[in-house]
Amino acid sequence: MGRRLYVGNIPFAAGEDQLRELFAQVGSIESVHVVTDRATGRPRGFAFIEMVSDEDASKAISELDQTEFQGRQLAVNEARPKAPRPIDSGF
């Protein structure tokens, strides 16, 4: 299992500090990154959290997946590697 987690269905008002506080309850956190829209800078409703160990990541998934956070039900699972994008030919 990887230490990098995908966290979906995050309330748009939630920031990195609130997510760090929530995930710190189940393990040690290395980094938190809330994904934002490039054009508007607004949060897109998901984040990536890297835990210090695989054990902390497993615990975070088992304890926080499908739990309510600020009125929304979180989806917490292992982050998959980014899929390669097709090359844009410019046409």
Side-chain angles (χ1 to χ4, degrees):
M1 161 164 266
R3 301 176 312 174
R4 190 167 189 226
L5 302 176
Y6 165 84
V7 184
N9 203 31
I10 296 172
F12 294 109
E16 291 181 0
D17 291 338
Q18 290 92 357
L19 288 172
R20 185 177 300 277
E21 187 176 307
L22 175 67
F23 279 77
Q25 295 174 15
V26 296
S28 299
I29 299 166
E30 200 165 289
S31 66
V32 176
H33 175 68
V34 174
V35 178
T36 56
D37 183 271
R38 290 181 189 170
T40 65
R42 293 181 182 159
R44 293 186 57 200
F46 66 97
F48 293 100
I49 298 179
E50 189 162 352
M51 305 299 284
V52 171
S53 70
D54 289 348
E55 293 80 22
D56 287 341
S58 294
K59 187 176 179 187
I61 291 170
S62 66
E63 292 189 21
L64 297 176
D65 185 40
Q66 303 305 309
T67 60
E68 186 178 320
F69 177 64
Q70 296 183 4
R72 302 205 53 188
Q73 193 171 8
L74 294 179
V76 181
N77 50 52
E78 186 175 0
R80 294 186 293 251
K82 190 173 183 177
R85 292 184 172 190
I87 297 173
D88 185 10
S89 63
F91 293 106

